[in-house]
Amino acid sequence: MDATPTALSVGLDIVEMTLADVADAFAGGVTAEALTLAFLDRIATYNPHYNAIIVMNPEALDDARAIDARRAAGEALGPLAGVPVVIKDPMDMAGLPTTAGWRFLSARAGGVDLIPETDSPVVARMRAAGCVMLGKTNVPVLSATGSHANDSWAGPTLNSAAPDCLPGGSSAGTATAVGASLAVLGLAEETGGSIQNPASAQGLVGIKPTFALVPNAGVVPLAGSTRDVVGPIARCVRDAALTLDVLAGYTSEDPKTVAGIGKRPKGGYAAKLDTNGLRGKRLGLYGPGWRDLPLSAEAADLYERAQGEITACGATLIADPFAGTGFAALAEPTEGLNSFDARGMESVPYDLHLYLQRLGSNAALRSVAAFAEATADEDAFGPKGVLHYLHQYPAFEAILADPTRPPNLSEFLALREAYLEIFNRVMDENGLDGLVFPQMRDALPPLHGGRAINETTVCEINIAGLPGVTLPAGAYDSGSPFNLIFVGRMWSEADLLGFAYAYEAATGYRKAPSLVAGG
């Protein structure tokens, strides 16, 4: 009889399990195989209802056994080795379909499967770290909304914390999988709120990294040249920081990551995690100088309470430091969208061309023309398409006409420089270490009904390329989560994680949700 401890035989509770808990379990003799089986059992129980994971990895148990063999041989392994994780669907994982939430790109929904021959760099890095990748998670069509996954070929994903409310998007499936403890942590990706929003909607920790810190080659793009970033969603700050250690850094597969050389912190992204991390810090507050859209009365009350908690941790808060700077006036919400500024997304045809070329010679679609033909019934750029609004931007037409030619993005880059000039000047003049805002301006809308999440930071930090860390800070009377977001200068992730860790340690707002089993 096998005497190896299993997750069940030692009474291991995988709900809200952290990397520290996983390390303790492994130290106690639990195997990665047993841990993986426990998560697979939980997925079988809860995923049919929440619809977070849409493609399972058939090699997950083999990968777990391989880690057990390496550990038994005495190999020194990192903190993510043997840890069950999930991957957002648009991130290429060799041998598994990348569907981008669209029925035309899923054989199960009657379309064609895009099966990449190689992992995206972020997936390759998670694999090299020894993660057990359980499967891929649900997204809306082309990840084109930051609020939900309601139009996915796989059906809607429910919010683990507030099932009747929007789950956040486009990384809805990753947030729900992490929030429901179907995995220890997961990978998300953002063009316009797709890490911030789902993490906040489900009371989780999310890191929106500095643009170009983490490679996004091999990820279905919306703005790969200008805005797209990959980052982790986790249940605690330390886990998110340790995952960023794995993801960040240069690769020749994504040349823009050369910008991050020399920018990663000595000792890694967990180096500044300290319960005193807010002591002596100066943080700017949300106000009309940043964005002239008010908080709801309840959001304002929750924000005021959070400010008291932050000052009790030793920080000094500065009211609306962007007042009178012209920062808010840089925003130009795109016609027909909810306070969303899509500038920079004009590059999508060219970025899609690069993505399709990378899939490999046997891919079902290898050009933008072939992609357009396969999806013609719902032309993404047509009058009713999910990206129809891009025709408002003059540069888009030339890029769409010839997606193989590197585009002229000078107007967008000038906008980024304008944002950064004001941002850095405000930080300098006020001696600020960062900003702390409510991530959303009001409570979550219902799952259905066509409303969108009202956030505070999405386009500003996406266009500027700035980092942000969002984390739980309570809940509305309705039960929907209330999160804060710490924002800072480019490459300041370690500082922001330090602030978030101190707040998390002082308050402990993350709570496991009550779940419903079955379909």
Side-chain angles (χ1 to χ4, degrees):
M1 185 175 181
D2 188 354
T4 302
T6 67
L8 295 178
S9 69
V10 298
L12 186 66
D13 185 1
I14 65 172
V15 177
E16 298 290 295
M17 178 174 257
T18 65
L19 291 176
D21 297 329
V22 172
D24 288 344
F26 290 158
V30 173
T31 64
E33 179 183 3
L35 185 61
T36 299
L37 283 168
F39 275 97
L40 291 175
D41 285 345
R42 187 167 174 87
I43 289 168
T45 299
Y46 293 107
N47 195 61
H49 184 72
Y50 290 90
N51 197 33
I53 303 170
I54 58 173
V55 176
M56 298 302 296
N57 176 16
E59 298 179 354
L61 284 172
D62 289 340
D63 293 343
R65 295 181 189 116
I67 289 296
D68 288 334
R70 292 168 61 187
R71 183 171 280 114
E75 183 176 342
L77 300 172
L80 269 65
V83 174
V85 306
V86 291
I87 305 296
K88 185 175 179 177
D89 169 275
M91 300 175 189
D92 282 353
M93 188 171 170
L96 292 185
T98 297
T99 75
W102 211 358
R103 64 186 178 94
F104 302 107
L105 306 180
S106 170
R108 287 163 58 187
V112 298
D113 275 342
L114 295 181
I115 307 292
E117 295 178 1
T118 58
D119 290 334
S120 58
V122 288
V123 168
R125 288 175 175 182
M126 295 293 276
R127 196 185 297 279
C131 295
V132 177
M133 291 177 278
L134 301 175
K136 301 186 76 179
T137 58
N138 201 20
V139 297
V141 171
L142 291 180
S143 300
T145 171
S147 294
H148 57 75
N150 291 350
D151 61 354
S152 168
W153 66 266
T157 291
L158 301 186
N159 185 326
S160 62
D164 294 331
C165 296
L166 292 172
S170 61
S171 307
T174 291
T176 296
V178 175
S181 294
L182 306 185
V184 176
L185 52 87
L187 293 194
E189 181 270 342
E190 170 159 332
T191 306
S194 294
I195 296 172
Q196 302 175 58
N197 287 357
S200 297
Q202 304 201 40
L204 297 163
V205 176
I207 304 175
K208 183 273 174 200
T210 301
F211 181 75
L213 176 64
V214 177
N216 59 15
V219 182
V220 180
L222 275 178
S225 299
T226 56
R227 295 171 56 147
D228 292 355
V229 293
V230 173
I233 289 179
R235 289 186 294 271
C236 69
V237 173
R238 179 177 181 270
D239 288 6
L242 292 174
T243 307
L244 188 60
D245 281 336
V246 169
L247 297 174
Y250 171 75
T251 171
S252 59
E253 294 184 75
D254 193 341
K256 66 178 172 292
T257 54
V258 70
I261 293 176
K263 304 298 186 182
R264 286 185 294 172
K266 185 177 181 180
Y269 286 99
K272 295 186 178 182
L273 304 189
D274 185 333
T275 56
N276 293 317
L278 283 167
R279 185 170 297 170
K281 305 303 180 184
R282 290 172 58 84
L283 302 172
L285 298 176
Y286 183 74
W290 173 271
R291 187 190 294 188
D292 196 11
L293 291 171
L295 307 179
S296 70
E298 191 175 7
D301 288 345
L302 289 167
Y303 187 33
E304 184 176 3
R305 185 260 300 144
Q307 291 175 45
E309 293 164 340
I310 292 168
T311 55
C313 290
T316 299
L317 301 179
I318 310 301
D320 195 11
F322 289 86
T325 65
F327 186 88
L330 293 175
E332 292 182 5
T334 302
E335 185 178 347
L337 301 182
N338 180 50
S339 302
F340 184 78
D341 188 338
R343 285 177 292 177
M345 291 175 61
E346 310 95 294
S347 68
V348 65
Y350 173 71
D351 297 328
L352 183 59
H353 162 72
L354 296 180
Y355 169 79
L356 293 170
Q357 290 291 301
R358 192 183 184 279
L359 282 174
S361 59
N362 295 320
L365 305 173
R366 298 208 63 230
S367 69
V368 175
F371 184 92
E373 183 178 356
T375 60
D377 287 351
E378 293 177 15
D379 178 6
F381 306 124
K384 295 183 179 179
V386 293
L387 299 175
H388 67 91
Y389 52 81
L390 293 178
H391 290 281
Q392 297 176 37
Y393 299 106
F396 176 70
E397 302 300 337
I399 301 170
L400 184 61
D402 184 2
T404 67
R405 183 176 182 179
N408 180 351
L409 298 172
S410 56
E411 289 190 13
F412 172 79
L413 296 175
L415 175 64
R416 170 165 287 171
E417 289 181 343
Y419 265 114
L420 288 173
E421 191 280 324
I422 297 175
F423 184 89
N424 290 327
R425 175 160 47 86
V426 168
M427 297 288 283
D428 289 341
E429 290 177 353
N430 291 274
L432 297 178
D433 298 288
L435 313 174
V436 60
F437 297 167
Q439 197 275 330
M440 296 182 192
R441 293 187 287 109
D442 51 18
L444 288 173
L447 176 62
H448 299 291
R451 293 171 58 194
I453 287 173
N454 292 318
E455 39 63 38
T456 63
T457 53
V458 162
C459 293
E460 292 87 348
I461 71 173
N462 290 144
I463 292 172
L466 299 167
V469 175
T470 184
L471 80 162
Y476 290 90
D477 289 342
S478 66
S480 73
F482 174 79
N483 266 37
L484 295 175
I485 184 166
F486 290 94
V487 175
R489 298 177 191 261
M490 295 182 77
W491 321 111
S492 68
E493 285 85 352
D495 294 322
L496 303 181
L497 287 161
F499 307 156
Y501 181 84
Y503 182 80
E504 177 186 71
T507 58
Y509 279 112
R510 170 66 195 170
K511 298 291 184 293
S514 298
L515 301 181
V516 175

